Amino acid sequence: MPSLGLSPHSIGSSAFSLPLVAGIFGRQAATGAGSVFEFQHRLNRCQREGLDPSLCNTVVPLPDGQAYDNTCNSNLVTFWGQNSYGATHPNSPNDYQKNIGFYCDYDSINVIPVAFMDSFFGPGGLPTINLANICGGNVFPGTGLAQCQFLAADIKKCQAKGKIVTLSLGGASATSFFSTQAQAVQLADNVWNLFLGGNSATRPFGDAVLDGVDLDIEHAAPDFSPFVNRLRSYFSGAGKKYYVTAAPQCVFPDPSMSATLANSYLDAIYVQFYNNWCGLQNFNDLAAWNFGVWDYWARNVAPNKGVKIYIGAPASDTAAGSGYVNVATLGNIIQQTRTSFPSFGGVMLWDASQAYSTSSCFWYASMCLSISTCSFFVCREQQVRLKCESLAQGWRILWGKVIRMDSLYSAYMVRFWLISWRNQGNVSSKGHLFHLYNHHFF
C-alpha cells in the first residue's frame, strides 16, 4: 500500500481515527484508564442524540478470556502499529496512535495484527520491526531489532480479553524478503523464537507470545509456503492455537502472493478491497467487485477449504487512495456479502488510529457484524433483557429477546430494528440507519 496515508498497510499511513476505533470496537471495558474516557464519549453522544442519559450506563461487561473463534462470520480485524492517523494529520498529536492495550479495551475487536515486520534479514541476521510512534529508539546490540518489551503487558491484556494478536510481515515499505528455501526456513525459525512460542534473548515483546503471523506482501516476492510449512511444524507441537493469515490485494490472483496463496494452508484472508479497480467503490459493478471469485477459490481451490475471506476496508476517507465508502454503504455491503458467500469471515479495517478518530466505521461495522451465528451480541454469562416497549410507544414488542449490551448504541440498534420492522423493512424517517455515519455508529 502506498505511504503517506494513502494505503491502509503503509508504514506510517493514515487510515483510522481514534473515536472511530471506539465505535467499531463497541463496548469499552468497565475498568481501566480508558473506561473513563469511553463513558464520557458515550455520554456526549447520548446527549447529542437526545436519548435518555440513563442509556449511557447500559453497559454489561463480558467476562475476559472469551476465545476468538475463526469459524465465525462476525469477526472484526484492525491493524495496529503504523499511526496512520498521525501520518495524514501531523498537526493533531493528541490523536496519534496509542499503545495497543488502549484499543483492546474495546470489546468489538477480535484480531489485531501488529504492523509491520518490515525487513526480514537486517543487521545481525535478525528481522526489524517498525511501529511508527510507539517503539523503535532502542535496539538489541548488533541488530536493528527494536526493544519493545514494555508492550508485553498490553499484548497479554489483549489476549486475556479473548483477542488474538499476530505479527504482520511486509507492508508497502518492506525492504527485504528471502531468496532461497533455506532462508524461508531460517526466517520461520527466527519468527518462532523471537515472537511466538520459541526462546531467544532478543525477544522484542519480552515474554508475550503472539498468536500467529499475517502476510501482507505487496511487492514481487517468492512463494512463502516453505515459511508457512516450517511455522506449522512448530504449531503442531505447541500447547496453544496459532494462526496464519494473509492480506492480498483484491485483484485475483494477486501477483505478489499468487504462489503463496496457492500453496499455503491459511486460516483467513483479509482481502484489500481498496487502491484497486476491484475495490469497495465499485461494489455495484459486477465486472469489478470480485468477492465471489475469492469465495469460490476459498471453498474449491485453496489448500484450506475452510479458509475465511474478509472484506478489507479503509476506515476513513484518508486511509486509502480509493475504496473508501461511508459506513451506511459499508453496512449494506457487509450484509449482502455475508448472506451471499459462505466463506465470509468478517471485516478488516486499516488502521486502529484512523478508526478511533473517525468513530463511525467501528460502530457501524460492529452493528452489521453482530447479526450472525457467532455474534458478539449473543447471550453469554451476563445478559440483559430489554422491554422494548419502554423505548417508544407503538413499536413492536420484543419482550424476552436476550442480547448483550455492548454500549448505549446496542439499545439504539434495537430502536432501529423495531422501526425497520414497523415499516416492513424500510428505514424510518430518521433515515440512513439513524444517521449512523454522522453519529459514528459502526
Side-chain angles (χ1 to χ4, degrees), residues 64-88:
D64 287 346
Q66 294 180 8
Y68 163 74
D69 187 348
N70 190 61
T71 66
C72 290
N73 65 356
S74 59
N75 287 316
L76 182 63
V77 178
T78 182
F79 278 77
W80 173 88
Q82 287 307 297
N83 188 30
S84 172
Y85 185 84
T88 54

Side-chain angles (χ1 to χ4, degrees), residues 291-373:
F291 193 99
V293 174
W294 285 98
D295 175 76
Y296 180 87
W297 171 83
R299 294 185 294 115
N300 297 280
V301 180
N304 174 17
K305 302 301 187 295
V307 64
K308 288 294 185 178
I309 306 297
Y310 285 63
I311 294 176
S316 77
D317 57 1
T318 60
S322 66
Y324 173 76
V325 295
N326 65 47
V327 290
T329 300
L330 178 59
N332 289 331
I333 293 173
I334 291 171
Q335 298 283 16
Q336 293 183 49
T337 305
R338 181 169 54 189
T339 58
S340 301
F341 301 108
S343 68
F344 180 86
V347 173
M348 175 273 283
L349 295 170
W350 177 270
D351 72 344
S353 65
Q354 286 272 20
Y356 182 77
S357 61
T358 304
S359 293
S360 55
C361 199
F362 276 153
W363 286 112
Y364 194 67
S366 295
M367 187 200 78
C368 292
L369 289 171
S370 68
I371 310 170
S372 73
T373 56

Side-chain angles (χ1 to χ4, degrees), residues 37 56 69 145 219 239 248-249 278 310 415 439:
F37 172 85
C56 297
D69 187 348
L145 187 58
H219 303 286
Q249 306 291 314
C278 46
Y310 285 63
R415 284 183 67 185
H439 296 298

